[in-house]
Amino acid sequence: MPFILSAAVIVACYTVLSTTQSTQKASLGPPAYTVSARFPTSVFSSYYIPPAATKEPQPALHDPVLNITYPLNLTNPDTIPQTDNDPIFYPRPVANVSNATAASLVQAAIANITSIIQSSASSNCTKCQHALAAAKSVAQITPQSVPNMLVTLCQRFQFASNSSCVNSYAATNYGAIWTQVLAFADVEGLDGRYICNNLRSTFCPRPTTSPLNTTGLFPKPKPANATAPKPSGERAKVLHLSDFHLDPRYAVASEANCSSGLCCRTNVHATGLTLPQIQLPAPLYGAYRCDTPYYLGLAALQSIGPLTGTSANDPFAWTIYTGDLVSHDSQNQLSRAYVEYAEYSIYDMFKSYIGSPVFAVLGNHDTNPEAIDAPRSEPDGLGQQFSWNYDHVAGLWQHNDWINSTVADEARLHYGAYSVKNQYGLRVITLNTDFWYRSNFLNYYNMTNPDVSGMQAFLIQELQRAEDSGERVWILGHVLTGWDGTNGLPNPTDLFCQIVDRYSPHVIANIFFGHTHEDEFMIFYKNNGTRNSSADALTTAWIGPSVTPLTNLNSGFRVYEVDTATFDVYEAYTWYANVSSFQTLDPRVTGPAFQFEYSTRDTYEVGWPRDAPLNATYWHRVTEAMERDINLVERFNTLQGKMSVKSPNCTSVECQRAKVCYMRSGSVALAQRCVKG
């Protein structure tokens, strides 16, 4: 568990707050906005269960794309499902065998794998890969038998608890996905080493980044004298939201400090207690170990206009949403319908409260099974198994008039990703970053190819078009490529860095991610980050704060002031709600307050000209200042958790060095050089 912030650090946090409040631009609203206790019932047309001070609402949502009304039992906190009944997809078997023959193959494989595991004749890595080879034959001949076999092996060798083994490997959870991986992977080569490391780090060491041959990768060489356009001097406001993680199953007064899983649910309890005993009752507006209830999500959306000085008559120029709509349920509680419900509900709320186009990306939670997406090239027609999701979100984005039908068709083709030129002339390129996410198990075959899905080939294509047309680009994704290196895969993130190097800084103006729920940034450098200097800094990735408080964070959002010619960021403002105050808030009297947290330019004052953008050079100067002054790192650390009283401290030299290293790491390879602190 994180350390609680000391009183001195909390005082320092609010000193930063009061200082930055006094320098916020006149175009913003008041420093704080308190939401009314009255739930905005008009946001939904009808309800199964209306909102109350003691209960979250259950709106009756009609999805215009699917032409269905979602049933109450899908989100009712008292009827949380325990089994996912969605279609299951297996590879096509290479032979037709009888049930008896299939059973014999499975028993022989289990015996063989048991012998391999119990042997002391080889290393853990070799044993793991040999065990995968034994399982591969079952996946190819009788694929439907693999999930039960994996559950049996997991439980026999106590790789996890019995229930966790089922949740990981049952056919309706991830068992069918692992069957596909086993059938198609080179399990005794690089694929196998990655799989074994993913299963358990003690099985195989994490493979290092493979050399990338960039010959022929780019359609044209980088122009020798490429320059970005001159600024217009005109500014536009852009809203950045991320990681909403709506929990329609949130139960007021349930356990907010549960022993495992997602808290604030009727089916969880605190350590040492049993249901219905409650240690910490879940408040109406949310808690630190819970996802976003409707009351909190709508409080954030209601606060945005007043705080940012925007309205229906003077809206944001555009909005970006960097992914994750769905709550952190265990896999057996998820389904296609639950994902589609969150997609429709949140986008519909955005349409009600945000009067600008929203350019959204899919996060790792915005699919089912969670984090899984298949490359179009997957054999046996399995490359189409997630088309249901791309069709749905593309339809919703078009229905909300955020993209047109041509762009929607592109999103259906490219895994929910698309490229669009907005009304200001900025090209926005969105990516499905599950294709470099280490928890997308379908990435674990053909690992020698860093772009099996073609996602990054699409990015190169669109960046080249932008360069040829003299356009500036924002790239939007969810899973970040670097920072501490725990989320991405080495080879795809290395490829992304090479692409950024090729098209920066003259084409790529900024990059935006989410996923960590924290307020962070990364710098991309020339020559694949081999030199870290202000002269080598190319592009910045802004990692947006989350709306969800999970885990131990405050709820927040950000606004950028952007030049309308260069699309550089000249200022960034962040707001937050203090989740620790929700426990004592009387919802019959008032809602929560969202308040101004900080101005980026004023907080990280490094002698930067007021008329210069907050570009990669600026951020490198910030990291240089952090190397000299640990107090600036502590300030960053406080803001990273959005002023949460539960954020861990960063007061050691080791933590200082680690944070600065993470900020300078745009890929897994670069992050692996950082000494953890």
Side-chain angles (χ1 to χ4, degrees), residues 92-99 101-102 105 140-144:
R92 187 177 300 117
V94 298
N96 293 320
V97 297
S98 66
N99 291 340
T101 300
L105 286 170
Q140 291 178 322
I141 297 173
T142 176
Q144 71 278 5

Side-chain angles (χ1 to χ4, degrees), residues 168-209:
S168 294
Y169 300 114
T172 53
N173 296 332
Y174 290 104
I177 299 299
W178 277 116
T179 304
Q180 295 173 40
V181 175
L182 286 169
F184 303 133
D186 177 10
V187 295
E188 295 192 271
L190 182 63
D191 295 349
R193 294 196 296 276
Y194 270 106
I195 294 168
C196 289
N197 176 261
N198 179 278
L199 293 173
R200 184 170 290 184
S201 61
T202 57
F203 289 169
C204 285
R206 193 174 189 181
T208 57
T209 306

Side-chain angles (χ1 to χ4, degrees), residues 134-157:
K136 183 180 180 72
S137 61
V138 180
Q140 291 178 322
I141 297 173
T142 176
Q144 71 278 5
S145 303
V146 171
N148 286 341
M149 180 183 73
L150 295 179
V151 171
T152 298
L153 289 166
C154 178
Q155 293 177 341
R156 173 176 296 183
F157 292 101

